[in-house]
Amino acid sequence: MWVVATTAAAGAVLAVVGIWHLPARMYPDAGDTDARAVLQSGLLTVAAALVAVTGGLVALDETRQANAEIRRANENTHVRELYTNAIEQLGSGNVTIRLGGIYALERIVHDSPADQRAVVEVLSAFVRTIGADRGTGAAATRTAVPAAAQAPPTLAAPDGPAVPPTADVRAAVQVLVRLARPADLTGAALARLAGLAEPVRLTHLVLTEADLNRARLAGADLSGTQLDDANLAGADLRRANLTDTILIDANLAGALLVDAILTRALLFGARLTGARLNGADLTGAQLGRADLTRVELAGATLTGAQGLTQSQVNAALGDERTRLPAGLLRPASWGPEDRQPA
């Protein structure tokens, strides 16, 4: 449109210039006064028409911009109203209404990507608050579990009772996973976390001190996730990807980690008592001060593991297929080393 307007304006300028110069050149005889007047009148009409076209196009563009501003203002109003309603829904005592608020916040991100960070922070705070409320009873009107079940699960007893997260907490975690932005769920109570769409990806979450007691996360991708001081006692993490995951001082007692990938995982001081790591890949993992008492390591690979001591190895349960770092001896109870052909 601006190209047409510019062309029209240039044409109008040429027409005005032509009024003064073109008639005399076309009709040089002194007796051609009428012809010159007619030509000048025609050029003046053309110039006026081109000026009108230029003005109309400029006005049309200004109108279009004004309409766009109005639409943006209306959209912002819509987003603000939706956001306000969603926040109110999150504070409802009805789990169905809270679910509506959670999915409304996800819709806001699609309608207004600029608000994604605010939505992530709100949902993260919601999940953390539910976890904190369970220890104080403040969530009595906001959770769908019986009041008797609102006490926090016992961290040291992987076989004891655990309170599963309510549907709204699971939904909030699902939305955070789909948004794929860093989210801080420090201290969240996510015991028996399950029901997430496959494949489960928690790679962008900070789950420091989170309660994932007996969480069902088989095949989940938790690579790079921050799980220091988290409770993963009895969790099902078979075939899970825990590459570069931070598990410092985490409780993994009795956890099922068969065929899990723990390459370069930070397990310094982690409690792995009774965990099953058969076939797991712990290449380059940091295992300093980790409790490996009765940990099953049949077929596991610990090549290049850091901080691992002979006493830790002696406390574990490996077999002839277990691969140890250089300098550590295979306990006699593990059987003879399974030497592979060159």
Side-chain angles (χ1 to χ4, degrees):
M1 186 175 65
W2 277 104
V3 172
V4 175
T6 302
T7 303
V13 171
L14 291 174
V16 172
V17 173
I19 291 173
W20 301 104
H21 299 283
L22 194 58
R25 291 178 180 276
M26 293 185 65
Y27 303 102
D29 295 338
D32 294 334
T33 305
D34 291 342
R36 292 176 187 173
V38 171
L39 181 57
Q40 287 176 333
S41 176
L43 290 172
L44 184 61
T45 301
V46 171
L50 290 174
V51 169
V53 169
T54 303
L57 290 174
V58 171
L60 179 61
D61 183 66
E62 291 177 350
T63 301
R64 187 178 64 175
Q65 291 183 11
N67 290 337
E69 290 294 333
I70 292 173
R71 285 196 299 271
R72 281 194 290 269
N74 290 337
E75 289 174 357
N76 288 338
T77 300
H78 165 71
V79 170
R80 286 195 298 271
E81 291 177 351
L82 189 60
Y83 181 83
T84 300
N85 291 336
I87 297 300
E88 292 177 353
Q89 288 176 304
L90 287 183
S92 171
N94 187 304
V95 67
T96 303
I97 295 176
R98 294 198 299 275
L99 284 169
I102 291 166
Y103 294 123
L105 287 171
E106 183 177 21
R107 177 186 169 186
I108 287 172
V109 173
H110 295 295
D111 292 347
S112 178
D115 294 313
Q116 186 180 57
R117 181 174 180 178
V119 169
V120 168
E121 291 178 354
V122 167
L123 289 176
S124 300
F126 173 77
V127 175
R128 292 196 307 269
T129 301
I130 292 295
D133 286 349
R134 286 195 174 179
T136 62
T141 61
R142 295 176 49 189
T143 58
V145 296
Q150 290 178 14
T154 302
L155 303 186
D159 296 327
V163 181
T166 51
D168 51 346
V169 173
R170 291 198 301 272
V173 174
Q174 282 180 315
V175 172
L176 287 170
V177 170
R178 286 195 291 269
L179 294 180
R181 280 186 61 98
D184 185 358
L185 301 183
T186 298
L190 299 172
R192 293 185 181 178
L193 181 63
L196 297 180
E198 294 294 342
V200 180
R201 295 182 59 83
L202 301 176
T203 59
H204 296 279
L205 302 183
V206 176
L207 291 163
T208 300
E209 298 180 354
D211 177 17
L212 288 154
N213 182 30
R214 289 190 287 174
R216 296 191 292 272
L217 293 168
D221 184 357
L222 294 111
S223 55
T225 299
Q226 192 168 330
L227 283 158
D228 43 315
D229 291 302
N231 176 35
L232 289 149
D236 184 354
L237 290 160
R238 289 173 295 174
R239 303 178 306 282
N241 182 5
L242 294 155
T243 302
D244 296 315
T245 300
I246 300 174
L247 290 156
I248 298 173
D249 293 325
N251 179 11
L252 288 151
L256 189 58
L257 289 152
V258 175
D259 294 326
I261 301 172
L262 292 125
T263 306
R264 299 183 304 278
L266 298 182
L267 288 154
F268 186 86
R271 179 185 175 191
L272 289 152
T273 308
R276 298 177 61 187
L277 286 95
N278 303 321
D281 185 357
L282 291 123
T283 303
Q286 172 55 260
L287 291 163
R289 291 178 51 197
D291 186 354
L292 302 183
T293 305
R294 299 189 307 280
V295 172
E296 297 182 16
L297 292 171
T301 300
L302 293 96
T303 306
Q306 304 295 312
L308 188 62
T309 64
Q310 188 65 52
S311 61
Q312 287 174 296
V313 172
N314 295 340
L317 305 173
D319 68 359
E320 65 278 0
R321 296 170 297 140
T322 306
R323 293 289 178 263
L324 293 173
L328 295 179
L329 301 177
R330 182 186 309 275
S333 60
W334 291 16
E337 182 174 359
D338 182 13
R339 298 187 181 276
Q340 299 296 327

